Amino acid sequence: MSYGSGYGYGQQQQGGYGQAPPQQQGVDPNWLSGIFQRIDVDRSGSISGNELQAALSNGTWTPFNPETVRLMIGMFDRDNSGTINFQEFMSLWKYVTEWQNCFRSYDRDNSGSIDRNELKTALTGFGYRLSDRFYDILIKKFDRQGRGTVAFDDFVQCAVVLQTLTSSFRAFDTDQDGWIQISYEQFLTLVFSLRS
Amino acid sequence: NFRKMAYQGYGGPPGVYSSGSGYGALPAGFAPAGYSGQSYQLGLAGYSQLPTIDPQVQQWFMSVDTDRSGRITAQELQRALVNTNWTQFNEETCRLMIGMFDKDFSGTIDLYEFQALWHYIQQWKQTFDRYDNNRSGSIEGPELQQAFMTMGYNVSAQFVQTVVIKFDHYGRRSLTLDNFIQACVMLKSLTDAFRQRDTSMTGYVRMSYEEFMSLAILYKP
């Protein structure tokens, strides 16, 4: 379903929660199990936020964005244990891989991070129609390295937040004209309930 | 720049933002210490009088403003607040605090804004202590609602529940001081932003998609 009208909501892509592009070949579960075990450093049988953070790379030699880690755990922790078991990990791994592919495809100059123009191309590709000023805000908010570019972990966070917010907006925009009437408390509640 | 603080302060004249619209104004006595009597009214042409700077505050500020730029980043703010004997605020909270003042998106604040922030934090702490009746170091839902009311925010018990769920990291259905402060920062920023747009004071704002997204992203936790 596409919302390609003037205000550009962003397309609803397959894959459910996130906007990761769909394609996926089969993956050898044994191989994946090996990866899981390497990540599960304390051999607890499931992966914690810290273990996941340590295992992920954002290409900047700094720790992976903890908010992105929390987001992902929140998405895939089906049994609400606070950790990721192997079943959950298989889905998470697939999700991360799809995002990596997506990121690489938009990092045209292979710099390892996405600059403002590449970000605009990416988000426009996802179906968003946003002003230049808005991209200023995005970079300011999500660029944790302070270089005016977005690393992989920040890129994922940005995209997921955009999608979550857009869904919230859509829920209010019953006539779909890109405008909503919102009360003080509805507005507060909406932002306060945002998961990172 | 000093002038942009004019419409930031809590203390508008009592009654301007009366509880009809649900925002509440701070009761007159709640103006941050050092600012009572100062005039921070909207957009007057000349300067109002600059507040005096507390030498201790200035010391904290300068101890982290190592390049003497007159402005500090979220990271430097984090260090400054530790120096004032607060337990460490996480960097995201510090970024949000800067966001309370940072109109030009520079990601920094100056000495006056730092002092204003410091006063807000002091006020919030006082409010927290006032409602932490059993000195447990945390406050629960009903107490939290009262605390918000005292600060002038007329919010429902349901909203307070949302806040508790959001900030309750220990599953205790209560907020520690650090979480409470973060909630206050967000509450203030969001209320100010909403209030600015609700020019006819109806308690409702008509917002475009992008405006909504901008606000939520700027002030989100």
Side-chain angles (χ1 to χ4, degrees), chain A residues 52 69 79 93 101 103 120 154 173 177 191:
Chain A
L52 183 59
V69 173
D79 60 6
W93 181 90
N101 293 335
F103 183 81
K120 189 163 182 182
D154 301 332
D173 185 13
D177 66 349
V191 183

PDB file of all heavy atoms in Angstrom, chain A residues 52 69 79 93 101 103 120 154 173 177 191:
ATOM      1  N   LEU A  52      24.318  -8.361  22.786  1.00  0.00           N
ATOM      2  CA  LEU A  52      23.955  -7.979  21.426  1.00  0.00           C
ATOM      3  C   LEU A  52      24.699  -6.713  21.003  1.00  0.00           C
ATOM      4  O   LEU A  52      25.227  -6.626  19.900  1.00  0.00           O
ATOM      5  CB  LEU A  52      22.440  -7.758  21.327  1.00  0.00           C
ATOM      6  CG  LEU A  52      21.910  -7.416  19.933  1.00  0.00           C
ATOM      7  CD1 LEU A  52      22.247  -8.523  18.935  1.00  0.00           C
ATOM      8  CD2 LEU A  52      20.401  -7.195  19.976  1.00  0.00           C
ATOM      9  N   VAL A  69      19.753  -1.016  20.026  1.00  0.00           N
ATOM     10  CA  VAL A  69      19.770  -2.365  20.595  1.00  0.00           C
ATOM     11  C   VAL A  69      18.459  -2.635  21.326  1.00  0.00           C
ATOM     12  O   VAL A  69      17.816  -3.670  21.133  1.00  0.00           O
ATOM     13  CB  VAL A  69      20.959  -2.539  21.565  1.00  0.00           C
ATOM     14  CG1 VAL A  69      20.865  -3.872  22.286  1.00  0.00           C
ATOM     15  CG2 VAL A  69      22.271  -2.447  20.818  1.00  0.00           C
ATOM     16  N   ASP A  79       8.755 -13.582  23.840  1.00  0.00           N
ATOM     17  CA  ASP A  79       8.259 -14.091  25.123  1.00  0.00           C
ATOM     18  C   ASP A  79       8.503 -13.113  26.264  1.00  0.00           C
ATOM     19  O   ASP A  79       8.352 -13.467  27.441  1.00  0.00           O
ATOM     20  CB  ASP A  79       8.894 -15.460  25.437  1.00  0.00           C
ATOM     21  CG  ASP A  79      10.416 -15.368  25.531  1.00  0.00           C
ATOM     22  OD1 ASP A  79      10.955 -14.250  25.460  1.00  0.00           O
ATOM     23  OD2 ASP A  79      11.066 -16.429  25.673  1.00  0.00           O
ATOM     24  N   TRP A  93      18.378 -11.744  13.340  1.00  0.00           N
ATOM     25  CA  TRP A  93      19.531 -11.781  12.452  1.00  0.00           C
ATOM     26  C   TRP A  93      19.122 -11.417  11.035  1.00  0.00           C
ATOM     27  O   TRP A  93      19.770 -10.629  10.345  1.00  0.00           O
ATOM     28  CB  TRP A  93      20.175 -13.172  12.468  1.00  0.00           C
ATOM     29  CG  TRP A  93      21.384 -13.269  11.593  1.00  0.00           C
ATOM     30  CD1 TRP A  93      22.672 -13.019  11.929  1.00  0.00           C
ATOM     31  CD2 TRP A  93      21.400 -13.630  10.205  1.00  0.00           C
ATOM     32  NE1 TRP A  93      23.497 -13.205  10.854  1.00  0.00           N
ATOM     33  CE2 TRP A  93      22.737 -13.577   9.775  1.00  0.00           C
ATOM     34  CE3 TRP A  93      20.412 -13.997   9.288  1.00  0.00           C
ATOM     35  CZ2 TRP A  93      23.116 -13.877   8.473  1.00  0.00           C
ATOM     36  CZ3 TRP A  93      20.797 -14.292   7.988  1.00  0.00           C
ATOM     37  CH2 TRP A  93      22.137 -14.224   7.587  1.00  0.00           C
ATOM     38  N   ASN A 101      22.063  -4.605   4.247  1.00  0.00           N
ATOM     39  CA  ASN A 101      22.012  -4.527   2.782  1.00  0.00           C
ATOM     40  C   ASN A 101      21.426  -3.195   2.336  1.00  0.00           C
ATOM     41  O   ASN A 101      21.925  -2.558   1.396  1.00  0.00           O
ATOM     42  CB  ASN A 101      21.179  -5.685   2.209  1.00  0.00           C
ATOM     43  CG  ASN A 101      21.856  -7.022   2.427  1.00  0.00           C
ATOM     44  OD1 ASN A 101      23.076  -7.090   2.571  1.00  0.00           O
ATOM     45  ND2 ASN A 101      21.066  -8.082   2.449  1.00  0.00           N
ATOM     46  N   PHE A 103      21.357  -0.387   4.025  1.00  0.00           N
ATOM     47  CA  PHE A 103      22.313   0.680   4.342  1.00  0.00           C
ATOM     48  C   PHE A 103      23.396   0.757   3.279  1.00  0.00           C
ATOM     49  O   PHE A 103      23.731   1.838   2.774  1.00  0.00           O
ATOM     50  CB  PHE A 103      22.914   0.415   5.726  1.00  0.00           C
ATOM     51  CG  PHE A 103      23.857   1.473   6.205  1.00  0.00           C
ATOM     52  CD1 PHE A 103      23.372   2.645   6.776  1.00  0.00           C
ATOM     53  CD2 PHE A 103      25.228   1.306   6.105  1.00  0.00           C
ATOM     54  CE1 PHE A 103      24.241   3.626   7.239  1.00  0.00           C
ATOM     55  CE2 PHE A 103      26.097   2.280   6.559  1.00  0.00           C
ATOM     56  CZ  PHE A 103      25.605   3.445   7.126  1.00  0.00           C
ATOM     57  N   LYS A 120      18.492  11.369   2.364  1.00  0.00           N
ATOM     58  CA  LYS A 120      17.320  11.857   1.646  1.00  0.00           C
ATOM     59  C   LYS A 120      16.918  10.867   0.557  1.00  0.00           C
ATOM     60  O   LYS A 120      15.731  10.565   0.390  1.00  0.00           O
ATOM     61  CB  LYS A 120      17.638  13.226   1.035  1.00  0.00           C
ATOM     62  CG  LYS A 120      16.428  13.913   0.452  1.00  0.00           C
ATOM     63  CD  LYS A 120      16.669  15.398   0.229  1.00  0.00           C
ATOM     64  CE  LYS A 120      15.377  16.027  -0.309  1.00  0.00           C
ATOM     65  NZ  LYS A 120      15.527  17.446  -0.600  1.00  0.00           N
ATOM     66  N   ASP A 154      22.562   4.310  13.832  1.00  0.00           N
ATOM     67  CA  ASP A 154      21.706   5.486  13.891  1.00  0.00           C
ATOM     68  C   ASP A 154      20.677   5.471  12.761  1.00  0.00           C
ATOM     69  O   ASP A 154      19.547   5.925  12.925  1.00  0.00           O
ATOM     70  CB  ASP A 154      22.555   6.758  13.788  1.00  0.00           C
ATOM     71  CG  ASP A 154      23.586   6.839  14.905  1.00  0.00           C
ATOM     72  OD1 ASP A 154      23.335   6.281  15.981  1.00  0.00           O
ATOM     73  OD2 ASP A 154      24.646   7.468  14.690  1.00  0.00           O
ATOM     74  N   ASP A 173      -5.035  10.687  11.646  1.00  0.00           N
ATOM     75  CA  ASP A 173      -5.418  11.356  10.409  1.00  0.00           C
ATOM     76  C   ASP A 173      -6.497  10.567   9.684  1.00  0.00           C
ATOM     77  O   ASP A 173      -6.257   9.961   8.649  1.00  0.00           O
ATOM     78  CB  ASP A 173      -4.179  11.533   9.526  1.00  0.00           C
ATOM     79  CG  ASP A 173      -4.485  12.343   8.269  1.00  0.00           C
ATOM     80  OD1 ASP A 173      -5.578  12.969   8.206  1.00  0.00           O
ATOM     81  OD2 ASP A 173      -3.652  12.333   7.346  1.00  0.00           O
ATOM     82  N   ASP A 177      -5.619  13.576   5.107  1.00  0.00           N
ATOM     83  CA  ASP A 177      -5.248  14.754   4.328  1.00  0.00           C
ATOM     84  C   ASP A 177      -3.909  15.321   4.781  1.00  0.00           C
ATOM     85  O   ASP A 177      -3.492  16.372   4.339  1.00  0.00           O
ATOM     86  CB  ASP A 177      -6.333  15.833   4.441  1.00  0.00           C
ATOM     87  CG  ASP A 177      -6.454  16.385   5.857  1.00  0.00           C
ATOM     88  OD1 ASP A 177      -5.852  15.786   6.775  1.00  0.00           O
ATOM     89  OD2 ASP A 177      -7.138  17.401   6.045  1.00  0.00           O
ATOM     90  N   VAL A 191       4.116  11.122  22.410  1.00  0.00           N
ATOM     91  CA  VAL A 191       5.574  11.214  22.433  1.00  0.00           C
ATOM     92  C   VAL A 191       6.150  10.435  23.608  1.00  0.00           C
ATOM     93  O   VAL A 191       7.179   9.770  23.487  1.00  0.00           O
ATOM     94  CB  VAL A 191       6.045  12.681  22.480  1.00  0.00           C
ATOM     95  CG1 VAL A 191       7.565  12.752  22.440  1.00  0.00           C
ATOM     96  CG2 VAL A 191       5.466  13.457  21.324  1.00  0.00           C
TER      97      VAL A 191
END
